[in-house]
Amino acid sequence: EILGALMSMIIVWMVTGVLTYLACMRLLHPDYDIDATAMLVTSACAVLANILLSLILHQTGHGHSHGAQARGHVSAPLEKPALSNASLRAAFVHAIGDLFQSISVLISALIIFFKPQYKIADPICTFVFSVFVLATTIPILRDILTVLMEGK
């Protein structure tokens, strides 16, 4: 479980690193073309898919019943909340990271669609959202390393 969470964090960091590298290349070599329509459609689909995935991951492990005992709103026995599970938290943060990257691409696509001369918006949005994604993974990485090192 913990190794799966670690792999998820490593993948998030690798993808973010590749996106940051490509954004740097676009700043250094601005002679590229962008198909804003394809970028817009793809990023909108990715935003919707990542919202759905994030909602599903966040709802996993819902702690009380809505069945016959729902009238009294009886809670289930105290268990670890779903997102205290390291691999679920890592998957959730991975989905949120993907969501924010998709939002970044969507914002860039909207800017470029209406103002093609502002194609620099693509690398700028990539930088801004990459910093956010990396910052959100640090607490989970700390938890993962604590478990791997058997710390308290």
Side-chain angles (χ1 to χ4, degrees), residues 6-115:
L6 180 61
M7 283 303 297
S8 182
M9 291 299 98
I10 290 171
I11 290 169
V12 167
W13 285 29
M14 287 174 43
V15 168
T16 302
V18 168
L19 291 172
T20 302
Y21 171 78
L22 293 172
C24 288
M25 290 296 102
R26 286 188 170 193
L27 285 178
L28 294 174
H29 307 287
D31 57 337
Y32 57 90
D33 293 322
I34 294 179
D35 183 353
T37 304
M39 189 176 173
L40 196 57
V41 170
T42 304
S43 61
C45 291
V47 167
L48 292 175
N50 283 305
I51 286 172
L52 181 62
L53 180 60
S54 298
L55 290 173
I56 290 169
L57 286 171
H58 195 271
Q59 294 299 320
T60 303
H62 190 58
H64 61 272
S65 171
H66 289 280
Q69 297 175 339
R71 287 183 193 95
H73 199 73
V74 177
S75 292
L78 290 177
E79 296 177 9
K80 290 181 0 181
L83 292 179
S84 69
N85 176 320
S87 60
L88 266 179
R89 282 181 53 215
F92 179 70
V93 168
H94 192 135
I96 293 296
D98 286 348
L99 173 62
F100 282 113
Q101 290 290 3
S102 299
I103 290 170
S104 168
V105 175
L106 182 60
I107 291 169
S108 301
L110 286 169
I111 292 169
I112 295 167
F113 186 79
F114 292 108
K115 297 283 187 177

